[in-house]
Amino acid sequence: MILPSFYVDEIINTALKEDINYVDISADYLIDEEQKNDAYFVAKAEGILCGIDVAMRVFELLDPDFKKKVYFKDGDAVKKGDVIAEFSGHTTLLLKGERTALNLIQHMSGIATATNRAVRLCEGTGAQITDTRKTLPGMRALQKYAVTCGGGRNHRFNLSDCAMLKDNHIDAAGGITGAVNKLRSKLGHTVKIEVETRDLDEVNQAADAGADIIMLDNMSNEMMRSAIGIIGGRAKTEASGGITLDNVREVAETGVDIISLGALTHSVKAFDISMKMK
């Protein structure tokens, strides 16, 4: 997955405008604008790195004289004490960009690290770990990119990617069978239909209606095994709801194809990285 530069630059510029406004009253009033410094990023924990190019781009946008040496790439495992990158530039601009750069790389590395833990916990089961649309506004592509760096896969990026019938859609449309049939008559041949199900009766309906993917929402492991038996390979199965790193292995062992985890993006812990001046 490649992040387009115009998208990344727009996020960074928005963040810099928010943080710097028009003056940094600490750096601008304290340090000569011609002064230059060397600095570096150091990992303060063990995990998966993500967002190093995004973080470096923060300083590149601020300082045309910025220079860097990057020692790890996105997706690499880092351990506490590893120097991730060394760089140099105007001191005031390094200080102005520090918080924005760290916010981005810490958040993205936190997502990649959490995803990697989930992926490793499910090794050997055949279940794929995916994200959801529970992302921060404006940050979706960065967050979903971080999931791929951790070894996960991406669920739909937006409402145009897949026709997903959730409980409110089904209730508003009057039932699963009619909703699937109506969608099928309107959708193009490249679009899949996913149906969220709450019980085994709905699983039966979704499978008989020809859903491509059936979500097993907040079901017990025993119920998911029954649902997989009912579906019998007629559709992909996705487990969702109430899944954590503590129980993800048990969910994977039910035989589901996909496990979607909103927590990977909406409540992940930031990965600890510091910037130090030499």
Side-chain angles (χ1 to χ4, degrees):
M1 180 177 176
I2 299 173
L3 293 170
S5 59
F6 70 85
Y7 177 90
V8 174
D9 287 358
E10 184 175 354
I11 290 175
I12 293 172
N13 284 323
T14 298
L16 290 174
K17 288 175 187 176
E18 178 181 63
D19 200 34
I20 299 172
N21 200 350
Y22 63 93
V23 64
D24 175 351
I25 58 175
S26 299
D28 286 333
Y29 294 166
L30 181 66
I31 298 167
D32 187 284
E33 64 179 10
E34 296 303 319
Q35 179 179 320
K36 291 187 176 182
N37 256 96
D38 296 325
Y40 60 95
F41 279 165
V42 59
K44 306 296 286 296
E46 183 176 326
I48 303 298
L49 181 69
C50 183
I52 183 60
D53 292 334
V54 175
M56 294 294 98
R57 183 63 177 160
V58 172
F59 299 114
E60 289 171 350
L61 289 173
L62 286 169
D63 188 352
D65 293 332
F66 178 76
K67 293 181 175 58
K68 67 189 178 188
K69 290 182 180 178
V70 178
Y71 303 119
F72 292 88
K73 66 181 184 299
D74 288 351
D76 283 349
V78 295
K79 60 183 184 296
K80 185 176 181 179
D82 281 341
V83 174
I84 297 166
E86 295 179 299
F87 43 92
S88 63
H90 290 89
T91 308
T92 55
L93 299 178
L94 292 176
L95 292 169
K96 288 179 183 182
E98 176 181 359
R99 185 71 268 151
T100 294
L102 286 175
N103 282 347
L104 291 167
I105 193 172
Q106 287 177 328
H107 181 63
M108 294 173 70
S109 295
I111 292 171
T113 298
T115 302
N116 187 253
R117 287 172 183 161
V119 169
R120 286 189 285 109
L121 284 168
C122 295
E123 284 179 350
T125 65
Q128 296 176 2
I129 297 296
T130 76
D131 48 36
T132 70
R133 282 171 45 247
K134 295 176 182 177
T135 55
L136 296 173
M139 288 283 291
R140 182 168 294 172
L142 291 187
Q143 292 182 302
K144 284 182 170 283
Y145 166 74
V147 167
T148 66
C149 287
R153 306 262 185 110
N154 294 140
H155 209 294
R156 58 179 181 164
F157 272 77
N158 54 53
L159 296 173
S160 301
D161 282 345
C162 171
M164 181 182 286
L165 297 174
K166 298 181 75 66
D167 54 356
N168 287 332
H169 294 93
I170 293 165
D171 293 342
I176 290 174
T177 303
V180 171
N181 288 338
K182 187 172 183 178
L183 274 176
R184 194 68 79 185
S185 69
K186 295 176 179 291
L187 293 176
H189 67 286
T190 64
V191 182
K192 292 184 178 181
I193 297 176
E194 178 167 3
V195 177
E196 178 184 285
T197 59
R198 296 164 282 194
D199 54 45
L200 296 182
D201 180 55
E202 290 189 343
V203 169
N204 262 309
Q205 293 179 51
D208 289 344
D212 300 296
I213 308 155
I214 298 176
M215 179 189 289
L216 311 176
D217 187 46
N218 282 294
M219 292 186 184
S220 67
N221 292 340
E222 182 180 354
M223 186 178 288
M224 282 192 282
R225 288 190 182 93
S226 297
I228 292 167
I230 290 169
I231 295 165
R234 289 179 288 171
K236 289 280 189 181
T237 56
E238 176 184 337
S240 185
I243 302 170
T244 67
L245 292 179
D246 292 329
N247 64 11
V248 69
R249 176 73 189 191
E250 295 174 4
V251 173
E253 288 175 345
T254 65
V256 293
D257 299 305
I258 302 152
I259 301 174
S260 55
L261 291 164
L264 295 179
T265 51
H266 71 58
S267 58
V268 72
K269 180 182 178 181
F271 185 79
D272 196 359
I273 295 172
S274 290
M275 176 177 135
K276 300 292 185 183
M277 287 284 191
K278 289 188 177 181

